[in-house]
Structure formats: structure tokens, C-alpha cells
Amino acid sequence: MNRDAVFDMGKYNEYAPMLNIVCAQKDVEGTYQVVEQLLESVDSLYGFSKSKLYRHKKFKDTDGSYLQVIKEKLLEGFRNEEDLSFMKGYEPWEKLISK
């Protein structure tokens, strides 16, 4: 069973550790797939705040506009991150980060 799923941390946090692995391997297709999943699951970042596991904690409500800002910052980072330079020229990647 996936530890992140057990701790109700959301899909984004399930995929995030894989980014380090695929980048270290310079795995173009793997990096593309992980980043695509990260971008698609940004809205799950604060899902834990509604989990029964954390019902004893108080969390600030977040709105969709804040999650959109996070997504835009992620895209900016993916575009400018030197460690991702091996992705340049891969057409699906260029399309993904140009959103």
C-alpha cells in the first residue's frame, strides 16, 4: 500500500518523489509523465485538510485561485529549471510547459 495514500496526502504528494528519480536518470518520457501527473493533481495538494486523519487540526480554507498560482509557479519552474535542460526539444514537454 502506498504510504502517501495511507496518510491522505493526495495524488500530488504521491508523484512528487518520483520527479527526483526520473530527473536523476535523465528519463525523458518518465519526467514528462511525472510532471504531467503533478500538474494534473495540483488540486489535491490540500486534500489532506479534509481527511479524517487530520480532523483534530485546523486548516485555513484555500480557494482555487491559490492552487492556480501554485500551478503557474510550477510551470515557470519547469520551464526555467536547469536540471530539466535534458527535456528541451522533446515536443510533448514543450507543449506541456507552454500552457
Side-chain angles (χ1 to χ4, degrees):
M1 183 176 277
N2 186 315
R3 190 190 96 227
D4 292 327
V6 172
F7 290 112
D8 287 337
M9 294 303 290
K11 289 288 184 191
Y12 182 92
N13 289 304
E14 288 180 37
Y15 294 113
M18 285 303 300
L19 185 58
N20 292 328
I21 295 167
V22 292
C23 285
Q25 297 172 340
K26 297 198 183 314
D27 177 351
V28 172
E29 183 60 30
T31 300
Y32 170 79
Q33 289 176 0
V34 169
V35 168
E36 183 179 45
Q37 291 299 319
L38 288 172
L39 292 171
E40 287 178 7
S41 60
V42 165
D43 61 339
S44 75
L45 270 172
Y46 294 101
F48 66 89
S49 65
K50 298 192 181 0
S51 168
K52 289 180 183 179
L53 186 59
Y54 305 105
R55 65 181 172 262
H56 64 285
K57 306 282 278 171
K58 297 239 185 240
F59 297 103
K60 244 180 149 175
D61 284 335
T62 57
D63 62 14
S65 64
Y66 182 68
L67 293 174
Q68 185 59 36
V69 169
I70 291 173
K71 188 172 185 175
E72 289 169 12
K73 292 290 185 187
L74 281 170
L75 282 166
E76 181 181 331
F78 293 141
R79 284 185 209 107
N80 300 321
E81 178 58 50
E82 200 171 300
D83 289 345
L84 292 171
S85 62
F86 68 94
M87 296 298 290
K88 291 196 187 305
Y90 182 58
E91 192 174 322
W93 172 258
E94 298 295 341
K95 186 177 177 181
L96 180 66
I97 64 171
S98 69
K99 292 180 180 178

